[in-house]
Amino acid sequence: MKYLKCFIFLILWFSTSCASLGLSSRVEKTSIGMTRQEVIKNIGIQYEIVHTQLTPDGDTIEILLFKDIYGTGYEYEFMNGILIRYTKIKELPPHDRNAGHKH
């Protein structure tokens, strides 16, 4: 029984470690100029739309928040569907960690 608990713990630890590494590697493949659809396809996780705006010039601004299982967030800002900025947010407040939903 002791070995079974150890084995289960190792599997859980390994799977959560891989999930985090996978997100980091996908984020690193993101580049300015990608379309909104390319970013969503590349990241492939749940996200939340945290800001939308129509500027006086008629441009659409949208900010998406992607989160990993540890509460680290990544904000992606799009203008007219093209990525213009992305930022890593170190730690999200606990109530925001599970707030995202897939669109």
Side-chain angles (χ1 to χ4, degrees), residues 64-81:
L64 304 182
L65 174 64
F66 293 84
K67 296 171 268 191
D68 67 15
I69 61 173
Y70 300 107
T72 302
Y74 300 87
E75 280 189 349
Y76 287 80
E77 183 174 346
F78 300 89
M79 179 181 282
N80 300 322

Side-chain angles (χ1 to χ4, degrees), residues 6-42:
C6 236
F7 180 71
I8 291 172
F9 172 78
L10 288 174
I11 288 175
L12 291 173
W13 176 79
F14 182 74
S15 64
T16 57
S17 296
C18 288
S20 175
L21 291 173
L23 177 59
S24 295
S25 67
R26 291 189 302 259
V27 168
E28 290 173 4
K29 294 178 183 176
T30 303
S31 59
I32 302 298
M34 291 177 77
T35 67
R36 182 182 187 275
Q37 293 79 13
E38 289 172 328
V39 170
I40 292 170
K41 183 178 177 183
N42 184 43

Side-chain angles (χ1 to χ4, degrees), residues 43-101:
I43 301 296
I45 61 169
Q46 295 183 350
Y47 66 91
E48 179 181 355
I49 299 172
V50 294
H51 178 81
T52 56
Q53 174 184 352
L54 183 61
T55 69
D57 296 332
D59 294 318
T60 301
I61 303 290
E62 183 176 49
I63 298 176
L64 304 182
L65 174 64
F66 293 84
K67 296 171 268 191
D68 67 15
I69 61 173
Y70 300 107
T72 302
Y74 300 87
E75 280 189 349
Y76 287 80
E77 183 174 346
F78 300 89
M79 179 181 282
N80 300 322
I82 303 297
L83 182 63
I84 59 170
R85 179 185 65 87
Y86 60 101
T87 306
K88 180 177 181 179
I89 302 168
K90 291 273 184 191
E91 182 72 22
L92 295 172
H95 67 278
D96 288 341
R97 289 184 185 175
N98 298 316
H101 55 280

